[in-house]
C-alpha cells in the first residue's frame, strides 16, 4: 500500500481547516468518500476533492503537499499513524494531538502542538509563536508528548505548559516557558528576554545565558545535578542534535522562580 497523498490543486485564497483529515477518520473510507469530506475555508464549506488531488491508499501514512502554508489544524486530535507535511504549514498544527507522529518539512505557524497530549511532532524548520502553549482563553497548554524543532522558535514557547518535552535546537524568542506549570523545555541556542516569566514549576534547560532574566528569579549558585546526565542520555535514541551532545558532568547554574508566581520552577544553565 502506498501513502495516502493529498496534493493541493492550487493555492487556496484563504486558510483551509483540514482537521477532519486525520488517519483515524480516513480508515475504511474509499477515495470518493474521502473526497466528499467537507472542509471549511473562510465562510465557505467545500469538498476535499475540490481542493486536493487524492492518490494512494494507506490512510495511516498521510501526506500533504503543495502550498501547505494555507493549511491550518493539520493533525488536530490525531492519535494514530504518521502525517508528513511537504512544506511549511499554517497555525494550530498538532493541536490536541494524542498519539502518532507529524513531520513538517518547513516552518510552522503559531500555536503548533498547542494543548498536545501525546505523540511526536518534528519540525524541520522554525516553530512559530506559542509553540506547545494553550489556546487563547484556555489555561492549560501542552500536557504530554514531545516536540523537536531543528530551527528556531518564536515567542512564548511552552506558555502554560503542564507536561511533556520541547527540544529546540536553535534560538527561542522572548518569554520562553512563560506561566509554565511543569514539563521540560531544552534550548540549545540563545533565548530572548525574560525566560520563565510567571512560571510556577517545570524546568528550562539552557546552553546559553539569557539576554535578560527577571528580577524575581533567585540565583541559587552552581550545582552538580545527578539527573542531568540521565536526562540527556534519554535523548540519545532521538533524531535530533540533542542525541549527539557530549556527555556532561551535570554541572549547572540554577535560578529558582518565578517568585512573583508559585516560584517552584527552575532555569538551569549548563556550565561547560
Amino acid at each position: 500500500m502506498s501513502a495516502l497523498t493529498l496534493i493541493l490543486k492550487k493555492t487556496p485564497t484563504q486558510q483551509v481547516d483540514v482537521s477532519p483529515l486525520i488517519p483515524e477518520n480516513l480508515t475504511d473510507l474509499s477515495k470518493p468518500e474521502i473526497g466528499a469530506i467537507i472542509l471549511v475555508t473562510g465562510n465557505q464549506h467545500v469538498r476535499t476533492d475540490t481542493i486536493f488531488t487524492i492518490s494512494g491508499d494507506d490512510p495511516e501514512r498521510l501526506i500533504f503537499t503543495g502550498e501547505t502554508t494555507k493549511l491550518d489544524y493539520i493533525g488536530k486530535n490525531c492519535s494514530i499513524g504518521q502525517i508528513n507535511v511537504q512544506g511549511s504549514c499554517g497555525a494550530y498544527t498538532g493541536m490536541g494531538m494524542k498519539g502518532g507522529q507529524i513531520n513538517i518539512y518547513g516552518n510552522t505557524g503559531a500555536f503548533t502542538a498547542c494543548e498536545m497530549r501525546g505523540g511526536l511532532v518534528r519540525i524541520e524548520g522554525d516553530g512559530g509563536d506559542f509553540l506547545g502553549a494553550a489556546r487563547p482563553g484556555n489555561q492549560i497548554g501542552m500536557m504530554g508528548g514531545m516536540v523537536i524543532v531543528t530551527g528556531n522558535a518564536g515567542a512564548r514557547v511552552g506558555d502554560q505548559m503542564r507536561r511533556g518535552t520541547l527540544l529546540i535546537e536553535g534560538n527561542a524568542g522572548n518569554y520562553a516557558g512563560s506561566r509554565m506549570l511543569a514539563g521540560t523545555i531544552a534550548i540549545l541556542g540563545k533565548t530572548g528576554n525574560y525566560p520563565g516569566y510567571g512560571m510556577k514549576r517545570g524546568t528550562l534547560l539552557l546552553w546559553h545565558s539569557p539576554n535578560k532574566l527577571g528580577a524575581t528569579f533567585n540565583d541559587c549558585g552552581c550545582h552538580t545535578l545527578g539527573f542531568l546526565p540521565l536526562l540527556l542520555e534519554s535523548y540519545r535514541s532521538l533524531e535530533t542534535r540533542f542525541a549527539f551532545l557530549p556527555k556532561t558532568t551535570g554541572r549547572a547554574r540554577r535560578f529558582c522562580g518565578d517568585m512573583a508566581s508559585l516560584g517552584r520552577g527552575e532555569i538551569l544553565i549548563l556550565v561547560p
Side-chain angles (χ1 to χ4, degrees), residues 164-238:
T165 303
L166 293 177
L167 301 180
I168 300 168
E169 298 179 10
N171 304 322
N174 295 334
Y175 302 102
S178 57
R179 302 186 292 178
M180 190 175 176
L181 298 166
T184 301
I185 302 175
I187 303 170
L188 282 180
K190 296 180 180 178
T191 51
N193 299 330
Y194 306 117
Y197 175 81
M199 74 185 297
K200 296 179 174 62
R201 292 182 294 270
T203 299
L204 268 170
L205 181 58
L206 308 180
W207 272 255
H208 298 276
S209 296
N211 290 337
K212 291 182 181 178
L213 189 60
T216 47
F217 276 83
N218 287 340
D219 186 349
C220 303
C222 290
H223 302 268
T224 299
L225 304 172
F227 80 93
L228 271 179
L230 297 175
L231 178 69
L232 296 177
E233 191 65 27
S234 70
Y235 301 149
R236 297 287 180 197
S237 62
L238 302 173

Side-chain angles (χ1 to χ4, degrees), residues 51-263:
I51 295 178
F52 294 102
T53 298
I54 304 171
S55 63
D57 48 14
D58 184 0
E60 292 203 11
R61 291 184 296 142
L62 183 59
I63 297 174
F64 290 95
T65 186
E67 187 48 67
T68 49
T69 54
K70 289 292 187 178
L71 305 182
D72 289 341
Y73 298 101
I74 293 175
K76 178 185 175 184
N77 296 328
C78 174
S79 59
I80 60 171
Q82 179 172 303
I83 300 174
N84 291 337
V85 184
Q86 304 290 355
S88 298
C89 53
Y92 296 100
T93 300
M95 172 182 160
M97 181 178 174
K98 303 177 184 69
Q101 182 170 342
I102 301 176
N103 300 313
I104 301 116
Y105 300 98
N107 304 324
T108 64
F111 292 99
T112 299
C114 75
E115 302 175 10
M116 179 179 177
R117 300 294 185 265
L120 172 64
V121 174
R122 179 177 172 79
I123 304 169
E124 296 272 1
D126 296 336
D129 296 337
F130 292 94
L131 178 75
R135 283 176 293 171
N138 287 357
Q139 296 182 340
I140 298 177
M142 182 174 171
M143 290 188 64
M146 176 176 290
V147 179
I148 298 172
V149 182
T150 64
N152 303 317
R156 306 296 290 257
V157 168
D159 183 54
Q160 301 193 89
M161 177 178 175
R162 183 175 287 268
R163 280 191 293 274
T165 303
L166 293 177
L167 301 180
I168 300 168
E169 298 179 10
N171 304 322
N174 295 334
Y175 302 102
S178 57
R179 302 186 292 178
M180 190 175 176
L181 298 166
T184 301
I185 302 175
I187 303 170
L188 282 180
K190 296 180 180 178
T191 51
N193 299 330
Y194 306 117
Y197 175 81
M199 74 185 297
K200 296 179 174 62
R201 292 182 294 270
T203 299
L204 268 170
L205 181 58
L206 308 180
W207 272 255
H208 298 276
S209 296
N211 290 337
K212 291 182 181 178
L213 189 60
T216 47
F217 276 83
N218 287 340
D219 186 349
C220 303
C222 290
H223 302 268
T224 299
L225 304 172
F227 80 93
L228 271 179
L230 297 175
L231 178 69
L232 296 177
E233 191 65 27
S234 70
Y235 301 149
R236 297 287 180 197
S237 62
L238 302 173
E239 188 181 350
T240 170
R241 283 176 57 197
F242 285 90
F244 302 101
L245 296 174
K247 291 185 181 296
T248 177
T249 59
R251 192 80 174 156
R253 191 172 194 92
R254 184 173 186 264
F255 292 85
C256 186
D258 184 342
M259 294 302 171
S261 187
L262 186 61

